[in-house]
Every structure is written in structure tokens, then in C-alpha cells.
């Protein structure tokens, strides 16, 4: 199974989990989803306010170009911090860009307290993608890969 690990990490926590997952499973590629400088505040609460406004206005952030073909993979793992019970808004943009992907998608997340409605929002943002799992533990990824 060819696996792509993608993630957006505002503070570094999601990157650490992505790296841990990459050590645990035979990931073929790991790519960080990045936004242009100045998209978000350096302050957590300022960033959360920006993301709420992006969602309310249906005006999601641009992400930097990533050079890969999603259909070279069987599974794409998408990692995100939880912002107000939802995935980080760059995830919406990424999911829109891979709508032609024919394989499976799973999401992992990091949170500072509660995941809220993360799973349902992720699935809604994924639209027609084949979302097979949303998890927050490395062991869940291992189980998914071994199926």
C-alpha cells in the first residue's frame, strides 16, 4: 500500500504526530501543507479568530503548491490541529485540491482539549472523497494500514 502523509501544523504538535506515524508505518511520502506567510497570527487566539472568519465567509486560505499526484497513492493521511472543534482551515483547501483522488483518505488530529465536531466537519469538507477513518492515536493508523 502506498501511503502519503500530509499535514498542516500551526504549532508543531501535528508535525510531531505525523513524524511519529511515519516512523510507525511504511509511509512512502510525507508532505507538510503550508500557507503563505502572514495568513495566520502568531497568537493562537488570533489564528482561531481568523479561521472562524474564513469559515463564516466561505473564504478559505491559499496553500503553497505541493508537487505530487494524489493518485500515485492508495491512502492519503491528512493531519490537522483542532481549531474550535473543526480541522484547521488549510485542510479545506487541500481537500478541495484532491477531489479527483480515487483512493482512501483518513484524518488524524491533535487537540488541546476536545475534538468537538472535527470528524463530521472533516467528512463534510472531504465531499466525495472516500474517508475511511478519523483518529488521534498512532495505534489507530497501524490498525488501518494492516487491514
Amino acid at each position: 500500500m502506498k501511503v502519503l502523509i500530509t499535514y498542516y501544523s500551526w504549532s508543531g504538535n501535528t508535525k510531531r504526530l505525523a513524524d511519529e506515524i511515519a516512523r510507525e508505518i511504511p509511509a512512502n511520502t510525507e508532505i507538510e501543507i503550508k500557507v503563505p506567510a502572514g495568513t495566520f497570527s502568531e497568537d493562537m487566539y488570533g489564528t482561531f479568530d481568523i479561521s472562524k472568519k474564513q469559515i463564516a465567509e466561505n473564504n478559505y486560505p491559499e496553500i503553497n503548491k505541493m508537487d505530487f499526484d494524489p493518485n500515485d497513492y492508495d491512502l492519503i493521511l491528512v493531519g490537522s490541529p483542532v481549531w474550535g472543534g473543526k480541522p484547521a482551515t488549510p485542510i479545506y483547501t487541500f481537500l478541495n485540491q484532491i477531489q479527483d483522488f480515487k483512493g482512501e483518505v483518513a484524518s488524524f488530529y491533535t487537540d488541546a482539549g476536545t475534538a468537538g465536531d472535527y470528524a463530521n466537519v472533516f467528512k463534510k469538507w472531504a465531499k466525495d472523497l472516500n474517508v475511511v477513518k478519523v483518529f488521534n492515536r498512532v495505534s489507530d493508523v497501524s490498525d488501518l494500514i494492516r487491514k
Side-chain angles (χ1 to χ4, degrees), residues 10-11 39-51 83:
W10 180 83
S11 69
T39 300
F40 295 111
S41 171
E42 292 186 23
D43 174 73
M44 177 177 68
Y45 299 105
T47 293
F48 177 58
D49 289 343
I50 291 166
S51 73
W83 289 353

Side-chain angles (χ1 to χ4, degrees), residues 65-128:
K65 183 171 176 23
M66 297 181 288
D67 190 23
F68 74 98
D69 180 353
N71 288 305
D72 287 345
Y73 301 91
D74 302 301
L75 173 66
I76 297 178
L77 299 174
V78 182
S80 175
V82 176
W83 289 353
K86 298 172 179 59
T89 53
I91 298 303
Y92 178 92
T93 305
F94 176 75
L95 293 171
N96 260 353
Q97 290 182 0
I98 65 165
Q99 282 298 302
D100 292 334
F101 177 56
K102 303 299 181 215
E104 296 180 332
V105 174
S107 181
F108 61 94
Y109 62 87
T110 55
D111 61 67
T114 179
D117 205 26
Y118 180 97
N120 290 329
V121 173
F122 183 89
K123 290 173 184 174
K124 179 181 170 189
W125 287 0
K127 299 175 185 152
D128 294 329

Side-chain angles (χ1 to χ4, degrees), residues 5 15-27 30 138:
I5 298 174
K15 178 184 179 0
R16 282 189 287 282
L17 181 56
D19 292 345
E20 185 178 344
I21 291 168
R23 285 190 299 274
E24 178 71 21
I25 65 165
E30 184 176 341
V138 173

